[in-house]
Amino acid sequence: AQSVAQPEDQVNVAEGNPLTVKCTYSVSGNPYLFWYVQYPNRGLQFLLKYITGDNLVKGSYGFEAEFNKSQTSFHLKKPSALVSDSALYFCAVRGTGRRALTFGSGTRLQVQP
Amino acid sequence: GAVVSQHPSWVICKSGTSVKIECRSLDFQATTMFWYRQFPKQSLMLMATSNEGSKATYEQGVEKDKFLINHASLTLSTLTVTSAHPEDSSFYICSAPDRIMNTEAFFGQGTRLTVV
């Protein structure tokens, strides 16, 4: 079975400061890892994905994530947070043989002006 | 990027009635679509996998007679909540995987269902 853990329900950061949203995963075989962002009453917007290759993945809106196989982590990062980054962030994983994504519980990011 | 359109974006219905939610892939063909349910402040839970031309595959604990899924064409999947009750009130989201790379998933805008 595949699973995703997002240990923080909420992350608070001041505008202009770097942010990190944590994610660890468990999956059989090589993982496909994703980050999505959700604004209130909206669907999910794709931010970035790791399939293979470089461990540091760059995505939309200045976000990036680092794949760490030994720690089974895929933390989302951004060097300088914006107030408009405030939203709900989901980490997701897909393993070999299963096409549907398994999502983490979500982390609410609050960026204060 | 690929676009998945979901309709309606919100619906209010009376208990006992049925509600149909549509999910369309606008610029690509989707032989598979996924239906998720999201409760307030919770994550997305996979309900079922919709397969074009065959029966849907339901996750454990999901009532197939209550949540009817039809995947009539390569661009349309529908979820019908039959005999809706207040506890069915939720946010329903569909998604379709990237058929070529089979990696990414494209999500609809979601449907907020409120049963009164």
Side-chain angles (χ1 to χ4, degrees), chain A residues 32 34 36 38 41-46 49 51 88 90 94 98-106 108, chain B residues 31-32 34 36 38 42-44 46 59 91 93 97-99 102-110 112:
Chain A
Y32 294 164
F34 305 83
Y36 288 87
Q38 185 181 35
N41 290 313
R42 301 290 298 276
L44 274 67
Q45 296 179 31
F46 171 78
K49 64 182 176 184
I51 305 300
L88 188 57
F90 289 101
R94 185 172 82 82
R98 182 170 169 86
R99 299 183 75 193
L101 298 180
T102 296
F103 287 86
S105 53
R108 184 162 301 281
Chain B
T31 57
T32 300
F34 303 110
Y36 293 87
Q38 184 182 28
Q42 294 189 27
S43 188
L44 283 74
L46 180 67
E59 296 298 299
F91 194 58
I93 306 177
D98 170 4
R99 193 178 180 189
N102 200 25
T103 54
E104 194 170 327
F106 304 102
F107 285 83
Q109 304 94 317
R112 169 73 57 193

Side-chain angles (χ1 to χ4, degrees), chain B residues 32-62:
Chain B
T32 300
M33 288 188 179
F34 303 110
W35 287 95
Y36 293 87
R37 181 174 181 176
Q38 184 182 28
F39 290 103
K41 299 184 179 181
Q42 294 189 27
S43 188
L44 283 74
M45 301 301 295
L46 180 67
M47 298 175 63
T49 301
S50 168
N51 304 297
E52 190 270 334
S54 64
K55 291 182 179 180
T57 305
Y58 289 82
E59 296 298 299
Q60 191 173 7
V62 177

Side-chain angles (χ1 to χ4, degrees), chain A residues 68-88:
Chain A
N68 187 316
K69 188 173 183 178
S70 63
Q71 297 184 4
T72 60
S73 67
F74 190 57
H75 301 330
L76 180 70
K77 300 181 180 184
K78 187 173 182 179
S80 178
L82 299 173
V83 173
S84 57
D85 292 330
S86 299
L88 188 57

Side-chain angles (χ1 to χ4, degrees), chain A residues 23-58:
Chain A
C23 170
T24 58
Y25 66 90
S26 174
V27 71
S28 299
N30 294 323
Y32 294 164
L33 293 157
F34 305 83
W35 276 101
Y36 288 87
V37 60
Q38 185 181 35
Y39 294 95
N41 290 313
R42 301 290 298 276
L44 274 67
Q45 296 179 31
F46 171 78
L47 282 179
L48 50 81
K49 64 182 176 184
Y50 172 83
I51 305 300
T52 186
D54 290 341
N55 290 342
L56 184 62
V57 178
K58 293 188 182 296

Side-chain angles (χ1 to χ4, degrees), chain A residues 13-19 78-83 85 111-113:
Chain A
V13 64
E15 187 174 31
N17 283 0
L19 69 88
K78 187 173 182 179
S80 178
L82 299 173
V83 173
D85 292 330
V111 181
Q112 286 113 7

Side-chain angles (χ1 to χ4, degrees), chain B:
Chain B
V3 177
V4 173
S5 177
Q6 188 173 341
H7 178 81
S9 56
W10 61 270
V11 58
I12 301 173
C13 70
K14 293 183 178 180
S15 289
T17 61
S18 296
V19 174
K20 180 185 285 187
I21 302 170
E22 293 186 347
C23 182
R24 294 181 183 273
S25 56
L26 296 185
D27 52 359
F28 68 106
Q29 293 181 332
T31 57
T32 300
M33 288 188 179
F34 303 110
W35 287 95
Y36 293 87
R37 181 174 181 176
Q38 184 182 28
F39 290 103
K41 299 184 179 181
Q42 294 189 27
S43 188
L44 283 74
M45 301 301 295
L46 180 67
M47 298 175 63
T49 301
S50 168
N51 304 297
E52 190 270 334
S54 64
K55 291 182 179 180
T57 305
Y58 289 82
E59 296 298 299
Q60 191 173 7
V62 177
E63 299 176 58
K64 59 183 65 176
D65 293 332
K66 181 165 190 61
F67 299 99
L68 299 180
I69 290 174
N70 184 276
H71 198 142
S73 73
L74 288 171
T75 59
L76 175 64
S77 174
T78 60
L79 167 68
T80 301
V81 183
T82 62
S83 186
H85 291 286
E87 57 264 31
D88 298 325
S89 299
S90 190
F91 194 58
Y92 294 87
I93 306 177
C94 68
S95 79
D98 170 4
R99 193 178 180 189
I100 297 176
M101 296 295 292
N102 200 25
T103 54
E104 194 170 327
F106 304 102
F107 285 83
Q109 304 94 317
T111 298
R112 169 73 57 193
L113 170 64
T114 302
V115 184
V116 297

